[in-house]
Short mmCIF file of all heavy atoms in Angstrom, two decimals:
data_model
loop_
_atom_site.label_atom_id
_atom_site.label_comp_id
_atom_site.label_asym_id
_atom_site.label_seq_id
_atom_site.Cartn_x
_atom_site.Cartn_y
_atom_site.Cartn_z
N MET A 11 0.82 -1.20 0.06
CA MET A 11 -0.06 0.02 -0.07
C MET A 11 0.89 1.22 0.05
O MET A 11 2.03 1.25 0.44
CB MET A 11 -0.93 0.05 1.24
CG MET A 11 -1.99 -1.15 1.26
SD MET A 11 -3.04 -1.09 -0.04
CE MET A 11 -4.09 0.39 0.36
N ALA A 12 0.36 2.30 -0.44
CA ALA A 12 1.07 3.54 -0.61
C ALA A 12 1.31 4.22 0.86
O ALA A 12 0.47 3.84 1.85
CB ALA A 12 0.24 4.60 -1.41
N TYR A 13 2.24 5.01 0.91
CA TYR A 13 2.46 5.73 2.14
C TYR A 13 1.49 6.93 2.28
O TYR A 13 1.07 7.46 1.20
CB TYR A 13 3.88 6.32 2.28
CG TYR A 13 4.91 5.23 2.72
CD1 TYR A 13 5.34 4.23 1.93
CD2 TYR A 13 5.35 5.34 3.97
CE1 TYR A 13 6.20 3.39 2.43
CE2 TYR A 13 6.30 4.31 4.50
CZ TYR A 13 6.72 3.30 3.69
OH TYR A 13 7.54 2.37 4.09
N VAL A 14 1.21 7.30 3.53
CA VAL A 14 0.24 8.46 3.73
C VAL A 14 0.83 9.37 4.84
O VAL A 14 1.43 8.82 5.76
CB VAL A 14 -1.13 7.91 4.20
CG1 VAL A 14 -2.00 9.12 4.60
CG2 VAL A 14 -1.83 7.06 3.19
N ILE A 15 0.80 10.59 4.58
CA ILE A 15 1.36 11.54 5.56
C ILE A 15 0.26 11.93 6.69
O ILE A 15 -0.77 12.47 6.38
CB ILE A 15 1.85 12.75 4.77
CG1 ILE A 15 3.11 12.44 3.99
CG2 ILE A 15 2.41 13.83 5.83
CD1 ILE A 15 3.69 13.54 3.01
N ASN A 16 0.54 11.73 7.88
CA ASN A 16 -0.28 11.98 8.98
C ASN A 16 -0.27 13.44 9.48
O ASN A 16 0.58 14.37 8.95
CB ASN A 16 -0.20 10.97 10.18
CG ASN A 16 1.04 11.18 10.84
OD1 ASN A 16 1.58 12.26 11.01
ND2 ASN A 16 1.44 10.14 11.45
N ASP A 17 -1.08 13.84 10.38
CA ASP A 17 -1.20 15.19 10.86
C ASP A 17 0.05 15.72 11.62
O ASP A 17 0.16 16.88 12.00
CB ASP A 17 -2.53 15.36 11.72
CG ASP A 17 -3.73 15.21 10.83
OD1 ASP A 17 -3.52 15.29 9.57
OD2 ASP A 17 -4.76 15.04 11.32
N GLU A 18 1.04 14.83 11.84
CA GLU A 18 2.23 15.28 12.52
C GLU A 18 3.07 16.17 11.57
O GLU A 18 4.04 16.85 12.09
CB GLU A 18 2.95 14.09 12.93
CG GLU A 18 2.40 13.21 14.01
CD GLU A 18 2.00 13.92 15.33
OE1 GLU A 18 2.83 14.63 15.75
OE2 GLU A 18 0.90 13.83 15.72
N CYS A 19 2.81 16.09 10.22
CA CYS A 19 3.55 16.91 9.35
C CYS A 19 3.72 18.29 9.70
O CYS A 19 2.66 19.01 10.02
CB CYS A 19 3.00 16.77 7.93
SG CYS A 19 3.73 17.68 6.69
N ILE A 20 4.95 18.84 9.64
CA ILE A 20 5.17 20.24 9.99
C ILE A 20 5.56 21.03 8.60
O ILE A 20 5.98 22.21 8.64
CB ILE A 20 6.38 20.52 10.90
CG1 ILE A 20 7.52 19.80 10.47
CG2 ILE A 20 5.85 19.91 12.28
CD1 ILE A 20 8.88 19.97 11.34
N SER A 21 5.14 20.43 7.46
CA SER A 21 5.47 21.13 6.13
C SER A 21 6.89 21.56 5.96
O SER A 21 7.06 22.61 5.36
CB SER A 21 4.50 22.22 5.98
OG SER A 21 3.05 21.81 5.95
N CYS A 22 7.76 20.66 6.29
CA CYS A 22 9.22 21.10 6.05
C CYS A 22 9.66 20.96 4.69
O CYS A 22 10.50 21.58 4.23
CB CYS A 22 10.11 20.32 6.95
SG CYS A 22 10.37 18.62 6.62
N GLY A 23 9.06 20.03 3.97
CA GLY A 23 9.43 19.78 2.53
C GLY A 23 10.53 18.82 2.20
O GLY A 23 10.82 18.44 1.15
N ALA A 24 11.14 18.10 3.40
CA ALA A 24 12.15 17.26 3.23
C ALA A 24 11.80 16.04 2.37
O ALA A 24 12.56 15.53 1.53
CB ALA A 24 12.71 16.80 4.56
N CYS A 25 10.64 15.59 2.40
CA CYS A 25 10.22 14.37 1.83
C CYS A 25 10.07 14.64 0.32
O CYS A 25 10.35 13.79 -0.51
CB CYS A 25 8.95 13.75 2.43
SG CYS A 25 7.55 14.90 2.56
N GLU A 26 9.37 15.79 -0.02
CA GLU A 26 9.11 16.08 -1.36
C GLU A 26 10.47 16.14 -2.14
O GLU A 26 10.53 15.56 -3.29
CB GLU A 26 8.50 17.49 -1.48
CG GLU A 26 8.21 17.81 -2.92
CD GLU A 26 7.73 19.24 -3.06
OE1 GLU A 26 7.79 20.09 -2.21
OE2 GLU A 26 7.13 19.48 -4.16
N ALA A 27 11.51 16.64 -1.62
CA ALA A 27 12.83 16.65 -2.25
C ALA A 27 13.47 15.32 -2.43
O ALA A 27 14.19 15.21 -3.38
CB ALA A 27 13.74 17.68 -1.37
N GLU A 28 13.08 14.31 -1.57
CA GLU A 28 13.79 13.06 -1.67
C GLU A 28 12.91 11.96 -2.49
O GLU A 28 13.49 11.07 -3.08
CB GLU A 28 14.01 12.55 -0.30
CG GLU A 28 15.02 13.30 0.43
CD GLU A 28 16.41 13.35 -0.16
OE1 GLU A 28 16.74 12.38 -0.74
OE2 GLU A 28 17.02 14.45 0.02
N CYS A 29 11.69 12.26 -2.64
CA CYS A 29 10.80 11.20 -3.36
C CYS A 29 11.24 11.08 -4.70
O CYS A 29 11.29 11.90 -5.54
CB CYS A 29 9.43 11.90 -3.23
SG CYS A 29 8.26 10.53 -4.17
N PRO A 30 11.57 9.76 -5.13
CA PRO A 30 12.08 9.44 -6.51
C PRO A 30 11.03 9.39 -7.57
O PRO A 30 11.35 9.48 -8.71
CB PRO A 30 12.65 7.98 -6.30
CG PRO A 30 11.87 7.45 -5.23
CD PRO A 30 11.54 8.57 -4.24
N CYS A 31 9.76 9.55 -7.13
CA CYS A 31 8.66 9.59 -8.14
C CYS A 31 7.91 10.74 -8.22
O CYS A 31 6.81 10.67 -8.74
CB CYS A 31 7.83 8.16 -7.98
SG CYS A 31 7.37 7.83 -6.32
N GLU A 32 8.34 11.75 -7.49
CA GLU A 32 7.76 13.07 -7.37
C GLU A 32 6.14 12.77 -7.03
O GLU A 32 5.24 13.38 -7.55
CB GLU A 32 7.76 13.80 -8.83
CG GLU A 32 9.22 14.12 -9.05
CD GLU A 32 9.51 14.96 -10.38
OE1 GLU A 32 8.38 15.18 -11.14
OE2 GLU A 32 10.66 15.36 -10.62
N ALA A 33 5.94 11.96 -6.15
CA ALA A 33 4.59 11.67 -5.70
C ALA A 33 4.13 12.66 -4.56
O ALA A 33 2.78 12.70 -4.17
CB ALA A 33 4.42 10.34 -5.17
N ILE A 34 5.04 13.44 -3.94
CA ILE A 34 4.71 14.29 -2.70
C ILE A 34 4.64 15.77 -3.14
O ILE A 34 5.30 16.26 -3.84
CB ILE A 34 5.81 14.10 -1.68
CG1 ILE A 34 5.82 12.57 -1.28
CG2 ILE A 34 5.39 15.03 -0.49
CD1 ILE A 34 6.96 12.27 -0.34
N SER A 35 3.58 16.44 -2.69
CA SER A 35 3.31 17.89 -2.91
C SER A 35 2.79 18.53 -1.66
O SER A 35 2.30 17.85 -0.87
CB SER A 35 2.38 18.00 -4.11
OG SER A 35 1.17 17.54 -3.95
N GLU A 36 2.87 19.80 -1.68
CA GLU A 36 2.30 20.54 -0.45
C GLU A 36 0.84 20.61 -0.54
O GLU A 36 0.27 21.11 -1.63
CB GLU A 36 2.93 21.92 -0.39
CG GLU A 36 2.65 22.65 0.99
CD GLU A 36 3.50 23.83 1.17
OE1 GLU A 36 4.27 24.33 0.20
OE2 GLU A 36 3.54 24.42 2.25
N GLY A 37 0.28 20.16 0.51
CA GLY A 37 -1.20 20.48 0.57
C GLY A 37 -1.69 21.46 1.48
O GLY A 37 -0.81 22.29 2.01
N GLU A 38 -2.88 21.37 2.02
CA GLU A 38 -3.38 22.41 3.02
C GLU A 38 -2.98 21.93 4.38
O GLU A 38 -3.55 20.96 4.80
CB GLU A 38 -4.93 22.60 2.82
CG GLU A 38 -5.19 23.32 1.56
CD GLU A 38 -6.70 23.65 1.61
OE1 GLU A 38 -7.26 23.86 2.60
OE2 GLU A 38 -7.32 23.78 0.49
N GLY A 39 -2.03 22.66 5.00
CA GLY A 39 -1.57 22.27 6.37
C GLY A 39 -0.61 21.16 6.43
O GLY A 39 -0.01 21.03 7.49
N LYS A 40 -0.43 20.47 5.47
CA LYS A 40 0.50 19.35 5.43
C LYS A 40 0.81 18.89 4.00
O LYS A 40 0.13 19.27 3.14
CB LYS A 40 0.12 18.14 6.19
CG LYS A 40 -1.07 17.37 5.70
CD LYS A 40 -1.51 16.15 6.43
CE LYS A 40 -2.65 15.47 5.92
NZ LYS A 40 -3.05 14.25 6.59
N TYR A 41 1.86 18.00 3.84
CA TYR A 41 2.16 17.59 2.51
C TYR A 41 1.30 16.25 2.31
O TYR A 41 0.89 15.61 3.29
CB TYR A 41 3.67 17.14 2.47
CG TYR A 41 4.54 18.44 1.99
CD1 TYR A 41 4.54 19.63 2.82
CD2 TYR A 41 5.25 18.42 0.84
CE1 TYR A 41 5.27 20.66 2.54
CE2 TYR A 41 6.05 19.47 0.52
CZ TYR A 41 5.98 20.76 1.38
OH TYR A 41 6.70 21.75 0.91
N VAL A 42 1.22 16.00 0.98
CA VAL A 42 0.37 14.88 0.60
C VAL A 42 1.11 14.00 -0.26
O VAL A 42 1.90 14.41 -1.09
CB VAL A 42 -1.05 15.30 0.05
CG1 VAL A 42 -1.95 15.94 1.18
CG2 VAL A 42 -0.77 16.15 -1.11
N ILE A 43 0.85 12.66 -0.33
CA ILE A 43 1.40 11.75 -1.23
C ILE A 43 0.31 11.20 -2.18
O ILE A 43 -0.87 10.76 -1.84
CB ILE A 43 1.97 10.50 -0.49
CG1 ILE A 43 3.14 11.07 0.42
CG2 ILE A 43 2.53 9.40 -1.41
CD1 ILE A 43 3.62 9.96 1.32
N ASP A 44 0.58 11.32 -3.46
CA ASP A 44 -0.30 10.78 -4.49
C ASP A 44 -0.11 9.33 -4.51
O ASP A 44 0.90 8.69 -4.98
CB ASP A 44 0.15 11.40 -5.92
CG ASP A 44 -0.76 10.92 -6.99
OD1 ASP A 44 -1.49 9.97 -6.90
OD2 ASP A 44 -0.86 11.62 -8.09
N ALA A 45 -1.18 8.56 -4.06
CA ALA A 45 -1.13 7.07 -3.96
C ALA A 45 -1.01 6.40 -5.38
O ALA A 45 -0.34 5.30 -5.42
CB ALA A 45 -2.38 6.51 -3.37
N GLU A 46 -1.26 7.07 -6.42
CA GLU A 46 -1.11 6.54 -7.83
C GLU A 46 0.28 6.50 -8.15
O GLU A 46 0.75 5.67 -9.04
CB GLU A 46 -1.84 7.40 -8.82
CG GLU A 46 -3.43 7.42 -8.60
CD GLU A 46 -4.09 6.18 -9.07
OE1 GLU A 46 -3.92 5.84 -10.24
OE2 GLU A 46 -4.86 5.61 -8.20
N LYS A 47 1.21 7.46 -7.63
CA LYS A 47 2.51 7.59 -7.98
C LYS A 47 3.43 6.81 -7.01
O LYS A 47 4.56 6.56 -7.44
CB LYS A 47 2.92 9.10 -8.12
CG LYS A 47 2.27 9.87 -9.29
CD LYS A 47 2.79 11.22 -9.19
CE LYS A 47 2.15 12.08 -10.36
NZ LYS A 47 2.48 13.47 -10.29
N CYS A 48 3.06 6.76 -5.77
CA CYS A 48 3.95 6.28 -4.71
C CYS A 48 4.39 4.77 -5.05
O CYS A 48 3.53 3.92 -5.42
CB CYS A 48 3.19 6.12 -3.30
SG CYS A 48 3.99 5.42 -2.05
N LEU A 49 5.75 4.44 -4.87
CA LEU A 49 6.27 3.18 -5.20
C LEU A 49 6.61 2.50 -3.87
O LEU A 49 7.18 1.42 -3.90
CB LEU A 49 7.54 3.41 -5.96
CG LEU A 49 7.52 4.09 -7.36
CD1 LEU A 49 8.95 4.29 -7.86
CD2 LEU A 49 6.68 3.31 -8.26
N GLU A 50 6.18 3.03 -2.78
CA GLU A 50 6.36 2.46 -1.46
C GLU A 50 7.69 2.15 -1.09
O GLU A 50 8.15 1.24 -0.43
CB GLU A 50 5.60 0.99 -1.44
CG GLU A 50 4.06 1.35 -1.53
CD GLU A 50 3.43 0.02 -2.18
OE1 GLU A 50 3.59 -1.02 -1.65
OE2 GLU A 50 2.62 0.20 -3.05
N CYS A 51 8.64 3.09 -1.52
CA CYS A 51 10.13 2.85 -1.33
C CYS A 51 10.36 3.25 0.09
O CYS A 51 11.36 2.69 0.64
CB CYS A 51 10.83 3.79 -2.24
SG CYS A 51 10.75 5.57 -1.81
N GLY A 52 9.60 4.10 0.74
CA GLY A 52 9.80 4.47 2.28
C GLY A 52 10.94 5.51 2.47
O GLY A 52 11.17 5.84 3.59
N VAL A 53 11.41 6.14 1.39
CA VAL A 53 12.39 7.18 1.58
C VAL A 53 11.82 8.42 2.35
O VAL A 53 12.41 8.95 3.26
CB VAL A 53 12.93 7.74 0.19
CG1 VAL A 53 13.61 9.03 0.40
CG2 VAL A 53 13.84 6.67 -0.36
N CYS A 54 10.58 8.66 2.11
CA CYS A 54 10.01 9.78 2.79
C CYS A 54 9.84 9.58 4.41
O CYS A 54 10.14 10.52 5.09
CB CYS A 54 8.53 10.13 2.32
SG CYS A 54 7.41 8.67 2.40
N ALA A 55 9.61 8.37 4.75
CA ALA A 55 9.59 8.02 6.17
C ALA A 55 10.91 8.10 6.78
O ALA A 55 11.16 8.52 7.98
CB ALA A 55 9.06 6.57 6.31
N GLU A 56 12.00 7.84 5.98
CA GLU A 56 13.39 7.80 6.45
C GLU A 56 13.79 9.32 6.70
O GLU A 56 14.62 9.62 7.65
CB GLU A 56 14.30 7.10 5.63
CG GLU A 56 14.12 5.68 5.49
CD GLU A 56 15.09 4.92 4.55
OE1 GLU A 56 16.06 5.66 4.05
OE2 GLU A 56 14.77 3.89 4.13
N VAL A 57 13.50 10.25 5.96
CA VAL A 57 13.95 11.60 5.93
C VAL A 57 13.05 12.47 6.84
O VAL A 57 13.54 13.58 7.27
CB VAL A 57 14.11 12.22 4.56
CG1 VAL A 57 15.08 11.44 3.62
CG2 VAL A 57 12.77 12.32 3.85
N CYS A 58 11.76 12.07 7.16
CA CYS A 58 10.93 12.96 7.83
C CYS A 58 11.40 13.20 9.30
O CYS A 58 11.58 12.14 9.95
CB CYS A 58 9.54 12.30 7.80
SG CYS A 58 8.35 13.39 8.74
N PRO A 59 11.47 14.48 9.85
CA PRO A 59 11.97 14.65 11.15
C PRO A 59 10.91 14.30 12.18
O PRO A 59 11.25 14.20 13.43
CB PRO A 59 12.33 16.12 11.22
CG PRO A 59 11.28 16.69 10.14
CD PRO A 59 11.29 15.63 8.98
N VAL A 60 9.65 14.11 11.83
CA VAL A 60 8.68 13.88 12.90
C VAL A 60 7.86 12.50 12.57
O VAL A 60 6.86 12.18 13.23
CB VAL A 60 7.65 15.10 12.88
CG1 VAL A 60 8.17 16.33 13.34
CG2 VAL A 60 7.00 15.20 11.49
N GLY A 61 8.35 11.66 11.67
CA GLY A 61 7.79 10.34 11.49
C GLY A 61 6.38 10.46 10.94
O GLY A 61 5.54 9.58 11.21
N ALA A 62 6.05 11.49 10.06
CA ALA A 62 4.63 11.61 9.60
C ALA A 62 4.30 10.55 8.52
O ALA A 62 3.10 10.15 8.55
CB ALA A 62 4.49 12.97 9.13
N PRO A 63 5.09 10.23 7.55
CA PRO A 63 4.67 9.18 6.61
C PRO A 63 4.51 7.86 7.17
O PRO A 63 5.45 7.26 7.82
CB PRO A 63 5.75 9.32 5.45
CG PRO A 63 6.58 10.62 5.72
CD PRO A 63 6.47 10.75 7.26
N GLU A 64 3.38 7.22 6.98
CA GLU A 64 3.05 5.93 7.48
C GLU A 64 2.61 5.12 6.33
O GLU A 64 1.96 5.58 5.43
CB GLU A 64 1.87 5.98 8.53
CG GLU A 64 2.25 6.86 9.70
CD GLU A 64 1.02 7.00 10.72
OE1 GLU A 64 -0.08 7.03 10.14
OE2 GLU A 64 1.28 7.00 11.85
N GLU A 65 2.77 3.81 6.51
CA GLU A 65 2.31 2.81 5.46
C GLU A 65 0.84 2.59 5.73
O GLU A 65 0.46 2.40 6.94
CB GLU A 65 3.04 1.48 5.59
CG GLU A 65 4.17 1.43 4.50
CD GLU A 65 4.76 0.03 4.51
OE1 GLU A 65 5.48 -0.32 5.50
OE2 GLU A 65 4.65 -0.70 3.52
N GLU A 66 0.09 2.71 4.80
CA GLU A 66 -1.44 2.53 4.96
C GLU A 66 -1.71 1.06 5.48
O GLU A 66 -1.14 0.12 4.86
CB GLU A 66 -2.11 2.69 3.57
CG GLU A 66 -2.54 4.09 3.43
CD GLU A 66 -3.90 4.46 4.12
OE1 GLU A 66 -3.81 4.62 5.35
OE2 GLU A 66 -4.87 4.39 3.45
FE1 LIG B 116 5.86 16.84 6.59
FE2 LIG B 116 7.68 14.94 7.20
FE3 LIG B 116 7.44 15.56 4.68
FE4 LIG B 116 8.48 17.37 6.30
S1 LIG B 116 9.39 15.36 5.69
S2 LIG B 116 6.95 17.77 4.79
S3 LIG B 116 7.26 17.00 8.26
S4 LIG B 116 5.88 14.46 5.95
#
């Protein structure tokens, strides 16, 4: 399943810069992952300072 960013996100943008498939973009109040593009690589979860990206 794709990764999903939870409400802990502080909109730092670290994950967007690292995502290999450009699936992450800034949303309202937090960043969001396009499930259609997500390859489930987990890089976003590794770089996030607050552990916001979770596996669905
Ligand atoms: Fe949000 Fe974490 Fe992504 Fe930063 S790295 S934008 S805190 S999900």
